[in-house]
Amino acid sequence: MGSAERIGFSPPALHERLQTGGIGLETQVSEPSALLKLAPLLVGQARRGVVGSSRYARALRDSIRQAAQDPTRRAVLISGEPGLEKDNLAALIHFGSADRKRLMVRLDGALLKADGSDLFGSASDPPGTSLLALLGDGSLLIDQLERVPEPLKPRLLELVQGGHGFQGRLFFTSETVSPGFERCCTLIRVPPLRVRRQDLGEWMRYGVRLRSRKLGWSPPPEVPEAVVKRLQAYDFPNNLRELDTLIYRALQQIRRQEGHAAPGVIPEDVFWTPPRHQRFRFDIWRWKPHLRELMRAPGLWNTLLFGLVSWLFVLVNLWLWLGPQDRQHNGALNLFWAWWWPLILLGFPLVGRLWCSFCPFMVWGEITQRLARALGLQPARWPRGETDDWASPLLAFGFALILLWEEVWDLQNTAWLSSCLLLLITAGAVVGSLRFEKRFWCRYLCPVGGMNGLFAKLSVLELRAQVGTCSGSCSSYSCFKGGPAEGEGLATAGCPLGTHPAHLSDNRNCVLCLTCAQACPHRSVQLALRPPAADIQREMDLPRGEPLLLLVLAGDLCLHHAHRLLGWLTWVPSSLVEGPLPLRLATAALALSIPALAYALCHVLFSAQRLQRTLYGFLPLIWALLLARHLPIGMAEAGQLLPVSLSFWQPDWAAVVPAWRADSHVIAFCQSAAVLLGWGVSVVLLRRQLATHRSAWLGASVLALALALAGRWLVAV
């Protein structure tokens, strides 16, 4: 079907209306074949308006309205990046003006001949048969002006200035600067989509409504804010054209999965954007393929989690309740404070959040969830919307309470209270597992999980999936949703943290449980080595409360050494474990809030964005200082595990079993080395975060050095 029929004109009707002037064009040529030269070039209507409520969208609408109401019919040049539908904006101006009943013709500048015969005709053509003559006082749109042959551009410029007797109106679109035309035309610059990210949600909902109408879905599915927020981090190089393709593919994927029924809410996993270019990655499973089969074996994980970890957790708690209550005589306290804390901090740069895969809190949560399902109780699906908006601040607040409890009630030397803390977190995991599916507690509410997810961004290990393979070959998404075995994929319940491995932008929501690798039938999931702290980028998708958690972790250093920082105040007690409780709590809260208060004070001097980038640049330094704070206990007491464990039951054995204790000078050296390493990595990260402000980077590096020296003094043995 030709263009004339598509807009409602059959060839005879077009000829009739042209001859009678019904669309504002009078011509002396009566040959239909000549008139039909215009038919394939006609613009029938504007495809859509300008969507959005940002100031850019409002300014663009005002520019279009002014150009449409221009009584002089001045030529219009619309410039902008590819994919911005500039030809549609020209149509909006034409059909919104008094010329709306006249013809509008579109020509591709790249296809025009250098001699201009497409427009002006050639010497051999009959008089009055050129395109300009046929168009009369209609509108001519020349798309891609930058690709017009150079010899033709001066003649087009003459046309703009009123030459060649053309009575119509001219429109041009261009992706580059056109100095000669910009001086003679009304210039409209179209901002790219990455500049008006505020409009992305409205564009998506508009696109979903249009596509849903074609699919017969009424009402259209809802686009959740979490999807909009994730896509706002993407730059959309091809702008609206790419967004439209993204929506089309997402709805087609839903139709393949769900059939003809429209879903109530569009799931996040159907939107595929090209991943950020990842350099310096080494695929471990491609190097050693047999490791993939070994690591994804379900029997290995089930044995470790349900056969070993779950019962060890029970024994540790019994040990804490029934054994001696101080760390010098209770091996369980020694395990927690001298082994677990130093080792988990050492593990973050190496294996990220792997501890969460073996966490006994959630093991018992999963056991409870399975028992509930067996009894017919079905946990609810996760709440939709911006869950991180309320969960992340709550997580930071919970971790602050744990730190206060630890210091004020001396958990390091009180076994039964340490057990109470472990059981309280386990109770949260159990309640969360009964209320919601999968590991809702781990992802949003677990204080330890929040710390693990934050420091996992420093890891040299990452688990990701190939976007092209997932979007082009997979229709079940069992790695994310769970499902039966498919191909070489195994039957699983899906990702416990509800994240598709191809949508991961950092390590925060990946516990390296390898469930996705077990379920994937296409070998899309990859386990790779990468540069340290590769997740810390200038543009990061951050939960609202995560920077607060980072400040709370920094406050742990101040809290543990409150007497060194606040001892000069007369009302501060000499110890946080002795004396009036209100005074101890006030002192502990003040010490814990020192980094947060300093950060709030800096908001007066610096922008929030620069402060946040600087704060994340300090992440390696904060990790190093926390490691230096726990190294003295680990290096001095971890080697005493056997004597400590046997001292209560078999005092005679305690003197003969192996023991080890590091010299204080060795401990001090390791502390200094850790702090120096953290400062060096922070300087590199600050260079990445503050790349456009050299002076800001130098100032932040000096500040990092001052904090490193102050922190080293604070954690001194």
Side-chain angles (χ1 to χ4, degrees):
M1 183 181 293
S3 297
E5 288 92 329
R6 284 198 300 270
I7 63 172
F9 295 153
S10 63
L14 174 64
H15 179 264
E16 178 183 354
R17 298 197 68 183
L18 286 171
Q19 291 286 48
T20 60
I23 50 177
L25 178 63
E26 296 179 357
T27 178
Q28 302 300 319
V29 180
S30 59
E31 289 295 329
S33 59
L35 291 172
L36 290 177
K37 288 174 60 176
L38 298 177
L41 309 174
L42 290 175
V43 178
Q45 60 182 2
R47 294 188 296 277
R48 56 186 169 192
V50 178
V51 179
S53 56
S54 68
R55 61 186 179 92
Y56 298 102
R58 293 195 301 270
L60 183 58
R61 279 195 291 269
D62 290 341
S63 299
I64 291 173
R65 188 180 301 110
Q66 291 170 10
Q69 296 172 356
D70 184 3
T72 65
R73 303 177 73 203
R74 192 181 187 212
V76 179
L77 172 60
I78 304 172
S79 67
E81 295 181 359
L84 286 171
E85 298 185 340
K86 297 180 288 294
D87 58 335
N88 180 63
L89 299 181
L92 279 174
I93 296 173
H94 172 79
F95 290 105
S97 69
D99 299 333
R100 65 178 64 88
K101 293 185 179 181
R102 295 186 173 96
L103 289 179
M104 184 178 194
V105 171
R106 176 187 176 275
L107 293 176
D108 189 341
L111 303 179
L112 293 177
K113 296 178 182 179
D115 61 0
S117 58
D118 312 74
L119 289 171
F120 307 102
S122 61
S124 61
D125 291 338
T129 59
S130 68
L131 187 142
L132 291 180
L134 292 174
L135 188 56
D137 59 353
S139 296
L140 173 63
L141 166 62
I142 297 180
D143 207 4
Q144 302 186 87
L145 178 62
E146 74 281 357
R147 300 183 64 182
V148 170
E150 288 298 327
L152 182 58
K153 287 185 177 179
R155 299 187 67 182
L156 290 179
L157 201 53
E158 291 177 15
L159 197 64
V160 173
Q161 295 169 347
H164 300 281
F166 181 56
Q167 301 299 316
R169 190 173 191 183
L170 289 168
F171 294 90
F172 302 95
T173 69
S174 177
E175 296 176 3
T176 60
V177 176
S178 305
F181 290 87
E182 289 182 3
R183 287 192 296 269
C184 301
C185 300
T186 298
L187 180 61
I188 298 178
R189 298 190 187 276
V190 187
L193 193 56
R194 65 176 179 275
V195 172
R196 38 180 173 148
R197 297 177 196 267
Q198 177 186 338
D199 296 334
L200 184 61
E202 295 173 71
W203 273 107
M204 290 187 67
R205 293 179 178 92
Y206 174 77
V208 167
R209 285 198 302 272
L210 292 184
R211 293 286 180 183
S212 298
R213 192 179 306 158
K214 295 178 182 179
L215 293 173
W217 290 351
S218 182
E222 177 187 346
V223 181
E225 283 298 327
V227 171
V228 177
K229 184 178 179 181
R230 181 172 70 83
L231 293 179
Q232 282 175 335
Y234 179 59
D235 283 341
F236 286 96
N238 280 318
N239 294 291
L240 298 177
R241 185 186 306 149
E242 185 175 2
L243 177 61
D244 195 47
T245 303
L246 187 77
I247 294 172
Y248 171 76
R249 292 176 60 185
L251 296 188
Q252 290 297 325
Q253 182 175 317
I254 292 174
R255 191 170 71 164
R256 289 197 302 269
Q257 294 179 24
E258 308 288 344
H260 294 287
V265 178
I266 295 182
E268 184 177 352
D269 58 293
V270 298
F271 288 97
W272 299 97
T273 56
R276 187 178 69 244
H277 180 60
Q278 306 287 358
R279 297 187 299 168
F280 310 115
R281 296 305 194 269
F282 179 76
D283 190 344
I284 297 174
W285 287 343
R286 180 175 295 180
W287 172 55
K288 295 291 184 182
H290 67 277
L291 283 177
R292 180 178 181 273
E293 301 305 320
L294 177 64
M295 296 174 69
R296 68 196 287 264
L300 172 65
W301 290 92
N302 290 333
T303 301
L304 286 174
L305 294 179
F306 303 106
L308 181 62
V309 173
S310 59
W311 298 110
L312 277 178
F313 182 68
V314 174
L315 293 176
V316 166
N317 278 280
L318 290 174
W319 196 349
L320 290 172
W321 280 93
L322 302 177
Q325 292 299 297
D326 61 296
R327 197 169 71 245
Q328 286 70 32
H329 299 90
N330 192 304
L333 273 182
N334 183 282
L335 279 172
F336 186 69
W337 296 104
W339 284 86
W340 185 84
W341 264 107
L343 286 179
I344 196 173
L345 286 167
L346 284 170
F348 288 139
L350 302 176
V351 293
R353 201 176 169 178
L354 180 63
W355 162 255
C356 290
S357 293
F358 303 99
C359 172
F361 309 139
M362 202 58 223
V363 169
W364 280 102
E366 288 193 13
I367 291 174
T368 307
Q369 194 174 78
R370 294 185 182 187
L371 291 174
R373 290 180 187 274
L375 295 173
L377 300 177
Q378 187 69 23
R381 301 194 63 168
W382 291 9
R384 297 285 184 178
E386 296 295 317
T387 312
D388 273 324
D389 284 353
W390 59 265
S392 295
L394 188 62
L395 185 150
F397 180 71
F399 202 90
L401 290 180
I402 289 176
L403 293 177
L404 291 173
W405 188 10
E406 172 191 325
E407 293 296 333
V408 176
W409 278 268
D410 196 19
L411 264 64
Q412 294 186 12
N413 289 290
T414 312
W416 73 273
L417 279 178
S418 296
S419 176
C420 288
L421 174 60
L422 300 180
L423 294 176
L424 183 62
I425 298 176
T426 306
V430 168
V431 173
S433 299
L434 291 174
R435 181 66 182 87
F436 296 110
E437 63 180 356
K438 299 185 178 182
R439 294 190 175 190
F440 180 82
W441 168 265
C442 289
R443 174 162 179 170
Y444 292 111
L445 297 176
C446 178
V448 179
M451 176 190 70
N452 294 351
L454 181 60
F455 284 131
K457 297 180 182 185
L458 303 176
S459 175
V460 298
L461 202 64
E462 72 175 12
L463 191 74
R464 299 290 188 272
Q466 302 175 39
V467 172
T469 302
C470 295
S471 61
S473 303
C474 186
S475 60
S476 62
Y477 302 98
S478 53
C479 62
F480 167 67
K481 297 181 177 180
E486 178 186 354
E488 70 171 31
L490 307 174
T492 68
C495 175
L497 265 62
T499 306
H500 196 295
H503 291 155
L504 287 171
S505 58
D506 56 37
N507 282 347
R508 182 174 68 97
N509 290 326
C510 180
V511 297
L512 294 175
C513 65
L514 303 185
T515 302
C516 53
Q518 294 173 3
C520 180
H522 307 290
R523 298 202 172 199
S524 173
V525 181
Q526 299 173 330
L527 184 68
L529 293 173
R530 65 178 190 177
D535 290 340
I536 310 298
Q537 301 292 335
R538 283 174 55 83
E539 301 296 335
M540 296 182 294
D541 183 17
L542 300 177
R544 184 171 298 180
E546 194 176 70
L548 178 59
L549 175 62
L550 185 52
L551 293 170
V552 169
L553 288 167
D556 180 34
L557 296 165
C558 303
L559 173 60
H560 189 67
H561 301 282
H563 62 285
R564 305 193 71 177
L565 286 174
L566 303 176
W568 54 276
L569 296 173
T570 56
W571 56 270
V572 169
S574 58
S575 172
L576 292 179
V577 298
E578 297 178 355
L581 179 60
L583 190 59
R584 289 187 287 134
L585 278 175
T587 303
L590 176 61
L592 183 63
S593 62
I594 288 176
L597 292 173
Y599 185 78
L601 183 62
C602 290
H603 267 283
V604 180
L605 305 174
F606 305 101
S607 68
Q609 188 179 51
R610 183 179 295 186
L611 273 179
Q612 193 172 82
R613 289 174 179 171
T614 304
L615 181 63
Y616 275 85
F618 289 160
L619 182 61
L621 177 60
I622 294 174
W623 164 81
L625 290 172
L626 285 173
L627 178 61
R629 168 234 198 281
H630 286 93
L631 275 179
I633 295 179
M635 298 182 70
E637 299 184 18
Q640 306 294 315
L641 177 62
L642 289 178
V644 167
S645 302
L646 296 174
S647 62
F648 180 73
W649 288 282
Q650 296 290 341
D652 296 336
W653 290 6
V656 297
V657 294
W660 172 82
R661 182 189 297 271
D663 184 78
S664 60
H665 297 87
V666 175
I667 296 174
F669 173 80
C670 291
Q671 286 181 302
S672 299
V675 174
L676 182 62
L677 174 64
W679 175 77
V681 178
S682 283
V683 170
V684 174
L685 283 191
L686 288 169
R687 183 71 180 93
R688 181 190 303 168
Q689 296 293 88
L690 305 171
T692 57
H693 302 84
R694 183 177 178 84
S695 59
W697 168 60
L698 292 174
S701 299
V702 173
L703 176 60
L705 179 60
L707 293 176
L709 294 174
R712 179 64 187 90
W713 165 78
L714 203 59
V715 301
V717 179

